[in-house]
């Protein structure tokens, strides 16, 4: 019997919006590629700053289990 070890399949972006320093709401997104997650997070930060007294911050995460193989989608490298 062969057992495959798997953790999360997608990179998750949790993005937090702030108004005058207080958190107002959160949005969550899933991405196949780590790079897509980080690029979206950066763009969302830029867009949030365009509104008066607004800002935003996010975190990209993916849960790996011990022995889980990383793929090319898990590399942040340059495009």
């Amino acid at each position: 019997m062969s057992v495959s070890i798997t953790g999360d399949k997608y990179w998750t972006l949790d993005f937090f919006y702030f108004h005058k320093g207080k958190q107002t709401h959160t949005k969550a997104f899933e991405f196949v590629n780590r790079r897509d997650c980080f690029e979206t997070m950066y763009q969302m930060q830029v867009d949030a700053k365009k509104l008066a007294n607004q800002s935003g911050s996010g975190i990209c995460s993916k849960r790996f289990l011990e022995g889980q193989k990383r793929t090319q989608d898990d590399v942040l490298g340059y495009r």
Side-chain angles (χ1 to χ4, degrees):
M1 177 183 208
S2 177
V3 177
S4 177
I5 298 174
T6 58
D8 287 346
K9 185 175 182 181
Y10 298 103
W11 282 92
T12 301
L13 167 59
D14 291 309
F15 195 83
F16 309 94
Y17 289 91
F18 299 91
H19 178 72
K20 294 184 179 181
K22 293 186 179 185
Q23 185 177 340
T24 57
H25 62 285
T26 304
K27 289 187 178 179
F29 305 91
E30 290 183 335
F31 298 91
V32 172
N33 299 310
R34 185 178 183 194
R35 171 58 66 189
D36 292 341
C37 186
F38 276 87
E39 287 178 353
T40 301
M41 178 178 62
Y42 174 76
Q43 189 59 51
M44 290 177 76
Q45 288 174 327
V46 169
D47 292 344
K49 289 180 187 177
K50 292 179 181 178
L51 301 172
N53 300 314
Q54 300 275 347
S55 64
S57 182
I59 184 167
C60 289
S61 62
K62 181 176 181 180
R63 180 184 58 204
F64 289 93
L65 296 179
E66 188 174 335
Q68 180 180 351
K69 295 187 188 292
R70 270 90 171 150
T71 67
Q72 187 64 27
D73 292 333
D74 299 322
V75 177
L76 188 56
Y78 298 103
R79 289 190 183 205

